[in-house]
């Protein structure tokens, strides 16, 4: 789902999910997909599209859509996957670069970060500096167990942000808004149960 649903509001069926997830190693047949969707619905990650209409139609194929929580979960899962976003592009994103710098320095002001990450002669330097300050402030607000905000301002009025050593976020930047799910939620996902693995040389389910 994380790789195939690229925009909010896209609808899909259990048949779609089965096709996306079934691989040479994993037997993700239609019944498994239906059970997975029922479980995700219980967690409020997905919901039926036009549910009332579908219940009245005998034999209707259920059409699903991600909820806001489900959309956040798929984006987080995609970042957590070993083959997630292209590393070349992902590594250049400002939030990733800033998070890596904070993990190295442990303490940062937005001014210090901007001087390190942005060319001071660039026309968009002021804009990017504001973006850096906003990211640090958002991390301190939405991931207070990972990033702290200094009580006293530094000379020049700068706020110093501190990375707490016992944070569990790993290499992924913290969330920047309420309801955003962090990739670390999926970093220790249990392996696929053996009963869902295909026997060597078996044919794929259609």
């Amino acid at each position: 789902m994380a790789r195939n649903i690229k925009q909010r509001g896209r609808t899909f069926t259990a048949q779609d999910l089965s096709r996306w997830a079934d691989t040479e190693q994993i037997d993700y047949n239609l019944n498994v997909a239906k059970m997975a969707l029922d479980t995700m619905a219980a967690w409020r990650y997905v919901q039926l599209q036009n549910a009332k209409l579908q219940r009245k139609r005998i034999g209707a194929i259920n059409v699903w859509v991600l909820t806001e929580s489900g959309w956040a979960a798929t984006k987080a899962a995609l970042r957590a996957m070993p083959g997630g976003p292209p590393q070349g592009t992902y590594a250049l994103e400002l939030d990733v670069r800033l998070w890596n710098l904070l993990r190295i320095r442990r303490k940062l002001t937005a001014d210090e970060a901007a001087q390190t990450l942005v060319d001071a002669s660039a026309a968009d330097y002021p804009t990017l500096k504001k973006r850096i300050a906003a990211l640090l402030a958002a991390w301190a607000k939405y991931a207070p167990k990972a990033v702290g905000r200094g009580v006293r301002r530094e000379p020049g009025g700068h706020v110093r942000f501190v990375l707490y050593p016992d944070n569990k976020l790993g290499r992924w930047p913290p969330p920047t808004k309420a309801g955003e799910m962090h990739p670390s939620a999926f970093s220790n996902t249990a392996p696929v149960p053996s009963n869902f693995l295909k026997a060597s040389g078996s044919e794929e389910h259609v």
Side-chain angles (χ1 to χ4, degrees):
M1 290 173 67
R3 291 190 186 281
N4 289 277
I5 299 178
K6 303 184 184 302
Q7 60 184 15
R8 285 182 172 88
R10 175 180 171 177
T11 57
F12 59 95
T13 65
Q15 286 85 346
D16 292 325
L17 180 57
S18 175
R19 186 176 70 256
W20 295 337
D22 196 87
T23 68
E24 292 181 358
Q25 294 80 32
I26 300 174
D27 181 11
Y28 211 93
N29 59 50
L30 184 57
N31 287 332
V32 173
K34 288 179 177 178
M35 288 189 292
L37 285 167
D38 287 340
T39 300
M40 285 188 278
W43 283 92
R44 298 184 180 178
Y45 285 164
V46 299
Q47 64 185 22
L48 283 172
Q49 183 81 338
N50 299 324
K52 292 182 179 179
L53 177 62
Q54 290 185 55
R55 290 193 191 102
K56 294 179 181 178
R57 294 172 55 195
I58 299 175
I61 296 176
N62 287 337
V63 178
W64 299 86
V65 66
L66 287 173
T67 63
E68 282 300 311
S69 295
W71 174 257
T74 59
K75 298 303 102 181
L78 183 59
R79 279 196 164 186
M81 293 168 66
Q87 292 301 307
T89 302
Y90 177 70
L92 294 176
E93 292 181 6
L94 184 60
D95 63 337
V96 177
R97 295 167 60 218
L98 178 60
W99 179 240
N100 287 337
L101 182 63
L102 183 58
R103 292 178 72 197
I104 294 170
R105 298 273 187 89
R106 299 291 175 178
K107 297 179 181 180
L108 271 181
T109 66
D111 189 61
E112 292 168 346
Q115 291 176 17
T116 302
L117 300 175
V118 184
D119 183 353
S121 63
D124 58 351
Y125 180 85
T127 300
L128 291 176
K129 182 178 176 179
K130 288 181 180 179
R131 173 62 179 156
I132 287 170
L135 283 169
L136 290 169
W139 293 349
K141 180 177 182 180
Y142 296 110
K145 293 183 179 179
V147 180
R149 187 183 184 113
V151 177
R152 296 180 180 178
R153 288 184 177 270
E154 300 289 315
H158 301 296
V159 177
R160 185 167 297 280
F161 294 88
V162 180
L163 177 70
Y164 295 138
D166 58 346
N167 79 85
K168 308 295 184 182
L169 301 187
R171 60 187 175 88
W172 302 283
T176 57
K177 56 187 177 181
E180 183 177 341
M181 188 171 293
H182 193 264
S184 60
F186 299 94
S187 60
N188 295 314
T189 303
V192 177
S194 58
N195 57 308
F196 292 126
L197 297 178
K198 292 179 179 177
S200 178
S202 65
E203 295 182 357
E204 295 185 13
H205 285 253
V206 178

